[in-house]
Amino acid sequence: MTGKDIPGLQEARDTIPAGTKINVTFLGNEDLEMRVAAAKAVVEAGFVPVPHLSARRLASREQLAEFLARLQDVGAAESVFAVGGDPAEPEGPFPDALTLIRSGVLQKHGVREVSIAGYPEGHPDIPGDVLWQHLQDKADALKEQGLATVVLTQFAFDTDPVVTWIDAVRARGIDAQIRIGTPGPAGIKRLLNFARRFGIGANAMIVKKYGFSLTNLMGTAGPDRFVSDLAELLAADPVSGDVKLHFYTFGGLKATSEWARDFVASAGEARS
């Protein structure tokens, strides 16, 4: 959710299981008060906030410390997501998430768990070998500092590269929980626009596997087929380890939470 999504959170809260992690973004057009208010709303609704720390948007160590202190005041500092961020040039001393993690500021404000980014289908602006080195370095740095690690991925449409990537993560000795990014139900055009923005494969074959067609862009699509196929593949994969889902709520918090509730219910009925 963003700082503007507190009304959407209130609308969706009855369909979200207690204790669910909800990420709170760090957008350039929102300020400290909006970010803290959103994190506080997550706590008060009975969920676990995961505020984003956008390294390249932070102007100073003091700004990072102030943000974390404010989060700590509202009980929202234990879990954070450290990410590089969008600006081409850093606005302060943190050119990337690794520098932020190594700063020593996180532990001073009660941070216990840090999510770091993973890219099963690569990144449009960062070579694959650099992505792997960054992932390894961040995982190692967090382990050295005694902080729990979660690898949170960009969303995907195709299960095959996701499972291949998970196996490659485990082969590097990274045993952290992996949360696979998954779009909640949303308009097909909107999903494809996000896919193009983040360099995610969206050709005809892949989107058909996901469950919609490029020739019919007027409807909505949910991740039913993706989630079912991924669960089946992971169940047969002896090295995948702890893997969960992270929903990108492109179609809204309520639509995503209702989809997840109904999907779990239908899966239970199918097993019985």
Side-chain angles (χ1 to χ4, degrees):
M1 63 179 286
T2 72
K4 300 181 180 71
D5 287 333
I6 294 175
L9 175 67
Q10 300 302 331
E11 182 184 24
R13 63 182 298 176
D14 291 340
T15 54
I16 302 175
T20 294
K21 288 182 174 179
I22 298 182
N23 283 37
V24 179
T25 56
F26 194 110
L27 301 180
N29 61 357
E30 295 183 351
D31 60 18
L32 174 67
E33 299 305 324
M34 293 180 70
R35 296 168 189 142
V36 173
K40 181 181 179 183
V42 173
V43 173
E44 291 176 344
F47 310 124
V48 178
V50 184
H52 290 198
L53 305 176
S54 182
R56 298 166 77 88
R57 292 192 187 279
L58 291 163
S60 64
R61 287 174 61 94
E62 290 73 23
Q63 185 184 11
L64 171 61
E66 180 187 14
F67 184 33
L68 290 171
R70 291 289 304 280
L71 290 173
Q72 195 172 19
D73 287 343
V74 298
E78 288 195 7
S79 297
V80 299
F81 177 39
V83 65
D86 295 331
E89 293 296 330
E91 297 176 16
F94 304 114
D96 50 39
L98 179 60
T99 309
L100 190 153
I101 289 167
R102 286 175 171 167
S103 69
V105 178
L106 302 183
Q107 301 93 314
K108 295 178 181 178
H109 296 279
V111 174
R112 296 183 180 179
E113 178 185 86
V114 179
S115 297
I116 54 178
Y119 299 91
E121 296 190 51
H123 189 288
D125 301 319
I126 305 174
D129 59 336
V130 175
L131 286 176
W132 280 117
Q133 190 60 57
H134 282 191
L135 182 64
Q136 186 75 64
D137 290 345
K138 286 182 285 190
D140 290 346
L142 289 169
K143 184 173 290 189
E144 290 168 5
Q145 296 179 41
L147 293 170
T149 304
V150 174
V151 182
L152 178 63
T153 82
Q154 184 51 268
F155 73 90
F157 287 148
D158 190 354
T159 54
D160 292 340
V162 168
V163 174
T164 298
W165 179 85
I166 290 171
D167 289 348
V169 171
R170 300 312 187 203
R172 286 166 167 79
I174 300 172
D175 59 1
Q177 181 183 95
I178 295 173
R179 299 181 73 89
I180 297 299
T182 309
I188 294 172
K189 281 187 176 181
R190 184 173 175 81
L191 290 175
L192 292 175
N193 285 337
F194 276 105
R196 293 188 187 99
R197 176 182 173 188
F198 294 111
I200 293 163
N203 63 40
M205 181 188 74
I206 289 172
V207 299
K208 185 177 181 181
K209 286 178 65 178
Y210 185 80
F212 60 87
S213 169
L214 292 176
T215 60
N216 179 18
L217 303 181
M218 300 309 294
T220 61
D224 304 61
R225 184 181 300 180
F226 177 88
V227 172
S228 297
D229 290 350
L230 182 62
E232 185 176 336
L233 289 169
L234 292 177
D237 185 350
V239 301
S240 58
D242 184 7
V243 180
K244 298 188 183 303
L245 296 176
H246 170 79
F247 289 103
Y248 287 87
T249 57
F250 299 137
L253 282 160
K254 191 169 189 289
T256 300
S257 59
E258 288 178 341
W259 176 89
R261 177 200 61 194
D262 295 344
F263 183 84
V264 170
S266 64
E269 291 172 2
R271 285 194 297 270
S272 62

